Amino acid sequence: RQVQPPAPIPIQPPEGMELVWSDEFDGDEIDRTNWTYDIGGWGWGNGEAQYYTDRPENARLEDGLLVIELRDESFEDSQYTSARLKTQGLREFQYGRLEARLKVTSGIGTWPAFWMLGAEFDADSDEPRKQWPNVGEIDIMEYVGREPDLVLGTIHGPGYAGAGGRSKWNRQDFDIADDFHTFAIDWDAEGIRWFFDDELYFEIGPDDLGEREWVFDQPFFFILTLALGGNLGGILDSELEYPIRYYADYVRVYQPTSDT
């Protein structure tokens, strides 16, 4: 069941841009100067079934890939384990082309994602500006196993969160989980544009929100998650075969070249 690493994609900055950060996942261990973990199994506001850990059983590097593994095992009052990696407090970015090459999961009930939260996010804070959704959320890619030909791009913010998020469904004529694909946004002061394998499928800017506040002119951090069930993942297929693996080949950030 182990996935073969895909052919490398050279680092090719878009015209007028330069690579400012990347993780190619080529080492022996996850780079803790780039990534930390969220831990817990309280449902994460969505009724999810898994407990997120920082164990290598749930997140590790293999053959030049980050592997996030969802396991069927009893752990801390949960029946399943997985991982939720984030760059919060370590790597935060405002604007640019932000891209990952990923192989999502198959199986009804699975919910892999590549997304971002505003850098001021603090789940323990009483300050509204540091709480979700006021900090802003950018979902570069969400995928649910019950819709094998569909990926979603979405933003959430104050007054347009949860089911009210501004979203675009992007359907293909093949099962997206069958191979690696690139998922990216181009993001600047004018707005955000979503790409699947370099094809634009969604764009939104401040003027599209009407009276709602645009909260995306600030730094954000990355999150990579593999959830199970919940509001978007849906009912689990009783025939799911575990472990279930979500793969990342790289995460890259390009920004405009500095004037010289």
Side-chain angles (χ1 to χ4, degrees):
R1 291 173 56 104
Q2 181 63 37
V3 164
Q4 292 297 315
I9 293 180
I11 293 173
Q12 298 174 324
E15 184 176 355
M17 290 191 170
E18 60 185 344
L19 182 74
V20 297
W21 176 80
S22 75
D23 196 326
E24 305 293 319
F25 303 118
D26 288 333
D28 296 323
E29 296 181 345
I30 292 169
D31 188 344
R32 297 304 294 267
T33 68
N34 289 335
W35 303 96
T36 185
Y37 297 80
D38 277 324
I39 307 294
W42 55 276
W44 299 93
N46 299 299
E48 299 164 26
Q50 78 290 331
Y51 190 102
Y52 286 132
T53 85
D54 60 357
R55 306 178 305 158
E57 290 91 339
N58 296 115
R60 60 188 177 274
L61 301 188
E62 290 182 358
D63 301 321
L65 301 171
L66 170 66
V67 183
I68 300 180
E69 184 169 299
L70 176 65
R71 299 165 66 92
D72 180 3
E73 58 180 345
S74 296
F75 190 91
E76 297 288 343
D77 298 324
S78 295
Q79 183 57 44
Y80 307 95
T81 61
S82 187
R84 173 172 165 138
L85 284 75
K86 60 182 183 177
T87 66
Q88 185 177 19
L90 301 171
R91 310 290 180 180
E92 296 164 350
F93 305 96
Q94 180 175 341
Y95 303 152
R97 182 176 181 89
L98 292 72
E99 177 181 293
R101 191 185 192 194
L102 309 168
K103 186 177 188 298
V104 298
T105 56
S106 58
I108 295 173
T110 60
W111 179 8
F114 171 47
W115 53 296
M116 307 183 80
L117 284 176
E120 285 198 313
F121 176 70
D122 182 351
D124 298 321
S125 175
D126 292 328
E127 296 183 56
R129 68 183 180 86
K130 295 184 178 182
Q131 297 172 358
W132 187 90
N134 298 330
V135 293
E137 175 180 327
I138 304 171
D139 298 326
I140 302 174
M141 182 282 296
E142 287 185 286
Y143 175 86
V144 289
R146 70 176 187 276
E147 299 269 6
D149 60 347
L150 173 68
V151 292
L152 303 173
T154 308
I155 56 171
H156 301 273
Y160 50 101
R166 303 301 174 91
S167 187
K168 177 71 173 181
W169 292 24
N170 182 33
R171 289 198 183 275
Q172 305 300 317
D173 57 3
F174 52 83
D175 287 357
I176 293 165
D178 286 348
D179 205 350
F180 282 84
H181 298 280
T182 58
F183 304 88
I185 57 170
D186 280 349
W187 169 31
D188 55 31
E190 302 300 315
I192 306 171
R193 294 156 293 280
W194 280 255
F195 295 83
F196 174 77
D197 286 341
D198 293 323
E199 291 197 2
L200 174 70
Y201 72 91
F202 180 36
E203 54 187 318
I204 193 169
D207 292 343
D208 298 311
L209 296 182
E211 298 299 317
R212 305 296 187 185
E213 182 184 3
W214 178 263
V215 291
F216 304 99
D217 296 323
Q218 59 174 319
F220 277 62
F221 62 89
F222 288 117
I223 309 174
L224 283 162
T225 52
L226 174 52
L228 187 67
N231 298 342
L232 190 58
I235 296 173
L236 309 187
D237 184 347
S238 62
E239 302 300 318
L240 280 175
E241 296 183 11
Y242 301 89
I244 296 167
R245 299 185 179 105
Y246 171 34
Y247 298 90
D249 182 28
Y250 63 75
V251 179
R252 296 173 181 170
V253 178
Y254 304 97
Q255 290 182 335
T257 305
S258 300
D259 293 333
T260 55

